[in-house]
Amino acid sequence: MGIFSAKKTKNQYAKVTTKSKLTLDITESSQWKKCSKCNEIIYNEDLKNNLNVCPKCGNYFPLNAFERIELLIDERTFEEQDITLNSKDFLNFPMYKEKLEESIDKSRMLDAVISGSGKINGIDVNIAVMDFNFMGGSMGSVVGEKVTRILEKSLKEKVPAIVVASSGGARMQEGIVSLMQMAKTSGAVKRLNEEGVPFISVPVNPTTGGVTASFAMLGDVIITEPDALIGFAGPRVIEQTINQKLPKGFQRAEFLLEHGMVDIISERKDLKETIFRVLEKLV
């Protein structure tokens, strides 16, 4: 509710100044967004036309999986696969069914990843794109299975694989089954590597937990966007564990590039061309 308490009544809102009231109306409207970095109020259409990058300060807003595919894959070439796969509450975990239903309604997806085949500037690729809107992009059985299948499809067809990761880690509602996906996806990457089939990993903000600890950091080339948060545990947890102050920019894309953890940082507007140039060298 911005600067107001959720407990205030409608009559109490009438007492605020015009400037404060305008702020409330704009930030609550679906037509506007407030930049978390520069605090500017941005018209949604302007934000969309700028690839969800703040036109004032360059701050990166997230893209959903559909927008990522539109950004990267040539028009009318994407063919989705494994469309009907969806998670089950096989552990009878409290409220998991409800969370799945909420996420499906929110994201218009059956789980946290879309996979399929398409072309990037004419080059055939298989691609999986994760979506943080679906339960924080958590990796459960379906996410792990779909990522593995797209990697195995690339192995069979000898076509480059691309995975765009955005995740909070393993899905705790699926217990040890979610942790098994780390080994499964990593094994699929290893088979690609043994056969010399290119795998490009694109971890974007945020990519954390078991996804970072598995396929997201195993790419032949790892490409990310500016200021993306990529790590395993969060900075606060690490500081509390080691009782030391972490370096400035720790776990951000620029820090990781400097320390050899990622290979390329690409601005969003150049991401498709950057991937294409890498593919040209690999295929």
Side-chain angles (χ1 to χ4, degrees), residues 88-156:
K88 304 294 183 183
D89 183 22
F90 47 81
L91 295 180
N92 294 318
F93 195 95
M95 300 299 294
Y96 187 30
K97 286 182 181 178
E98 290 79 1
K99 286 182 179 295
L100 286 172
E101 291 172 1
E102 289 173 8
S103 294
I104 289 170
D105 290 340
K106 178 181 178 180
S107 65
R108 298 181 292 124
M109 298 167 59
L110 289 180
D111 217 293
V113 67
I114 293 177
S115 60
S117 58
K119 295 179 183 292
I120 294 181
N121 290 348
I123 295 179
D124 289 322
V125 298
N126 292 315
I127 185 169
V129 181
M130 300 183 70
D131 195 323
F132 200 81
N133 287 319
F134 197 107
M135 294 188 68
S138 53
M139 181 168 64
S141 55
V142 168
V143 171
E145 181 66 16
K146 291 182 75 169
V147 170
T148 300
R149 287 188 185 186
I150 210 67
L151 297 174
E152 290 177 340
K153 187 173 188 287
S154 285
L155 181 64
K156 180 180 178 181

Side-chain angles (χ1 to χ4, degrees), residues 27-272:
T27 54
E28 287 194 343
S29 169
S30 61
Q31 296 184 22
W32 303 85
K33 281 190 174 68
K34 184 177 182 180
C35 179
S36 60
K37 189 173 183 180
C38 68
N39 293 322
E40 287 288 334
I41 304 300
I42 310 163
Y43 185 45
N44 269 350
E45 195 66 26
D46 292 339
L47 193 61
K48 182 178 179 181
N49 291 337
N50 202 41
L51 301 177
N52 273 21
V53 178
C54 177
K56 304 293 184 181
C57 69
N59 183 40
Y60 276 48
F61 287 73
L63 292 175
N64 63 40
F66 302 102
E67 292 168 330
R68 283 280 174 194
I69 289 170
E70 184 179 356
L71 174 69
L72 298 177
I73 300 299
D74 296 350
E75 189 175 358
R76 298 179 182 175
T77 66
F78 182 71
E79 295 182 7
E80 188 176 357
Q81 72 172 46
D82 300 319
I83 299 174
T84 60
L85 287 184
N86 63 292
S87 293
K88 304 294 183 183
D89 183 22
F90 47 81
L91 295 180
N92 294 318
F93 195 95
M95 300 299 294
Y96 187 30
K97 286 182 181 178
E98 290 79 1
K99 286 182 179 295
L100 286 172
E101 291 172 1
E102 289 173 8
S103 294
I104 289 170
D105 290 340
K106 178 181 178 180
S107 65
R108 298 181 292 124
M109 298 167 59
L110 289 180
D111 217 293
V113 67
I114 293 177
S115 60
S117 58
K119 295 179 183 292
I120 294 181
N121 290 348
I123 295 179
D124 289 322
V125 298
N126 292 315
I127 185 169
V129 181
M130 300 183 70
D131 195 323
F132 200 81
N133 287 319
F134 197 107
M135 294 188 68
S138 53
M139 181 168 64
S141 55
V142 168
V143 171
E145 181 66 16
K146 291 182 75 169
V147 170
T148 300
R149 287 188 185 186
I150 210 67
L151 297 174
E152 290 177 340
K153 187 173 188 287
S154 285
L155 181 64
K156 180 180 178 181
E157 299 173 350
K158 299 297 187 285
V159 167
I162 299 170
V163 179
V164 182
S166 179
S167 176
R171 187 173 298 176
M172 67 176 186
Q173 291 88 347
E174 295 188 14
I176 196 170
V177 174
S178 66
L179 299 179
M180 290 169 59
Q181 308 310 311
M182 297 170 61
K184 184 166 73 175
T185 54
S186 298
V189 172
K190 186 175 188 297
R191 293 191 292 274
L192 280 181
N193 184 259
E194 290 171 344
E195 294 296 323
V197 179
F199 168 47
I200 298 176
S201 179
V202 187
V204 296
N205 188 59
T207 301
T208 60
V211 170
T212 303
S214 56
F215 65 86
M217 300 306 287
L218 294 177
D220 298 308
V221 180
I222 301 175
I223 305 171
T224 188
E225 294 178 332
D227 201 39
L229 175 66
I230 305 168
F232 182 61
R236 185 184 304 172
V237 173
I238 296 173
E239 285 188 335
Q240 291 174 348
T241 301
I242 66 175
N243 293 318
Q244 293 182 27
K245 186 72 175 175
L246 295 172
K248 184 179 180 180
F250 180 75
Q251 291 186 329
R252 293 290 173 175
E254 293 74 15
F255 183 92
L256 297 177
L257 179 67
E258 182 180 347
H259 290 81
M261 295 295 290
V262 303
D263 300 300
I264 301 170
I265 297 175
S266 172
E267 292 187 20
R268 185 171 289 169
K269 63 182 177 63
D270 301 322
L271 187 57
K272 179 177 181 177

